[in-house]
């Protein structure tokens, strides 16, 4: 078998491994995609506009903020600023994931940054910490199902929004937090994990009570990053890896 064929088979295997890892994310995010589509139509969006927003913005929390502000006829510049603030944590994600995908061609890196989400970052970071290379085929295998289902669910929510039951009453909306909790726990062997998590959680809860959702997510992330910068690496008693 030629080197090209071996490389192609490896890429296919990596892609499908990524697809398998994406399934819990797809299931956990489904209620939120449906909910966004329904809320978008309720706020005056057409089905096409709701689908295009999911396809082009691709940011759950920022999309929710955007449609709420659109419904209140807020100035466009304020909507853009609000979406940027809510998605500010992705600046941190990009900085972190950049070292993992620096070996990709620039076009692939651009695509990788576009589909970068909270779970995408966490799963890719975990793979890199295990000493494995974050390849483009694996990364896209993880990203494409989540992206495709998110856009599809937004369309279904926009079309059949009135038929969607109350996700709060059914407890379905708790799927995503449970999934994220599992991702956070997978990093528990990292230096400073506990103090960073506690600081981030405390800041997020305080922000939720004072500023409101979804700003608390970015504020909590920034608080955790700042504490990690301030504290010395050996604080947790575990030596940081180079």
């Amino acid at each position: 078998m030629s080197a090209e064929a071996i490389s192609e088979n490896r890429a296919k295997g990596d892609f499908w491994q990524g697809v398998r890892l994406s399934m819990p994310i797809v299931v956990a995010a489904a209620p939120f995609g449906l909910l966004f589509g329904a809320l978008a139509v309720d706020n005056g969006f057409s089905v096409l506009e709701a689908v295009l927003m999911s396809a082009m913005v691709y940011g759950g929390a920022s999309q929710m903020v955007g449609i709420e502000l659109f419904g209140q006829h807020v100035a466009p510049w304020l909507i853009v600023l609000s979406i940027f603030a809510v998605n500010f944590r992705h600046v941190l994600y990009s900085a972190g994931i950049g070292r993992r995908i620096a070996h990709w061609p620039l076009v692939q890196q651009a695509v990788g940054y576009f589909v970068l989400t909270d779970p995408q970052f966490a799963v890719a970071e975990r793979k890199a910490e295990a000493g494995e290379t974050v390849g483009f085929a694996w990364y896209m295998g993880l990203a494409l199902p989540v992206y495709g289902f998110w856009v599809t669910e937004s369309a279904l929510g926009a079309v059949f929004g009135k038929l969607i039951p109350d996700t709060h009453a059914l407890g379905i909306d708790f799927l995503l937090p449970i999934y994220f909790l599992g991702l956070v726990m997978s990093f528990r062997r990292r230096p400073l994990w506990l103090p960073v998590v506690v600081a981030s959680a405390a800041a997020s809860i305080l922000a939720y009570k004072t500023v409101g959702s979804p700003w608390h997510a970015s504020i909590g992330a920034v608080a955790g990053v700042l504490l990690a910068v301030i504290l010395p690496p050996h604080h947790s008693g575990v030596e940081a890896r180079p």
Side-chain angles (χ1 to χ4, degrees):
M1 186 178 290
S2 66
E4 262 186 37
I6 293 173
S7 178
E8 185 177 340
N9 287 338
R10 184 181 294 119
K12 286 181 180 178
D14 289 346
F15 179 84
W16 288 111
Q17 182 190 35
V19 170
R20 287 192 296 272
L21 290 172
S22 75
M23 289 300 104
I25 308 172
V26 168
V27 173
F32 297 91
L34 294 169
L35 180 62
F36 166 75
L39 290 176
V41 171
D42 283 346
N43 279 275
F45 279 49
S46 67
V47 173
L48 178 60
E49 288 170 340
V51 172
L52 286 177
M53 188 174 189
S54 281
M56 298 176 71
V57 176
Y58 189 44
S62 58
Q63 287 179 226
M64 296 292 188
V65 170
I67 58 172
E68 184 178 343
L69 294 177
F70 272 119
Q72 297 174 6
H73 304 290
V74 176
W77 68 268
L78 186 57
I79 296 175
V80 173
L81 180 62
S82 299
I83 290 176
F84 175 81
V86 172
N87 265 357
F88 178 75
R89 67 190 187 282
H90 286 272
V91 176
L92 307 177
Y93 292 160
S94 299
I97 203 70
R99 55 185 174 155
R100 311 299 190 188
I101 65 174
H103 58 286
W104 296 0
L106 287 177
V107 173
Q108 291 184 356
Q109 288 188 42
V111 174
Y113 286 128
F114 174 74
V115 295
L116 182 61
T117 60
D118 303 82
Q120 183 83 18
F121 170 78
V123 177
E125 187 69 14
R126 188 169 57 190
K127 181 180 178 69
E129 284 198 341
E132 301 176 37
T133 301
V134 178
F136 183 71
W138 175 88
Y139 189 94
M140 295 310 294
L142 177 64
L144 288 178
V146 181
Y147 177 77
F149 275 99
W150 175 259
V151 175
T152 302
E153 288 150 6
S154 298
L156 292 174
V159 175
F160 303 108
K162 301 299 182 184
L163 303 178
I164 299 174
D166 183 2
T167 56
H168 293 282
L170 296 176
I172 298 174
D173 57 323
F174 201 58
L175 288 173
L176 201 58
I178 289 175
Y179 177 78
F180 279 128
L181 180 61
L183 289 177
V184 170
M185 290 302 296
S186 69
F187 290 101
R188 63 187 179 277
R189 296 189 183 280
R190 271 191 169 194
L192 304 178
W193 177 84
L194 184 58
V196 167
V197 168
V198 171
S200 182
S204 183
I205 292 170
L206 182 62
Y208 183 80
K209 295 294 185 181
T210 55
V211 182
S213 176
W215 305 90
H216 66 292
S218 295
I219 292 172
V222 171
V225 170
L226 289 176
L227 183 67
V229 170
I230 294 170
L231 292 179
H234 61 274
H235 178 82
S236 63
V238 181
E239 290 298 326
R241 279 183 260 174

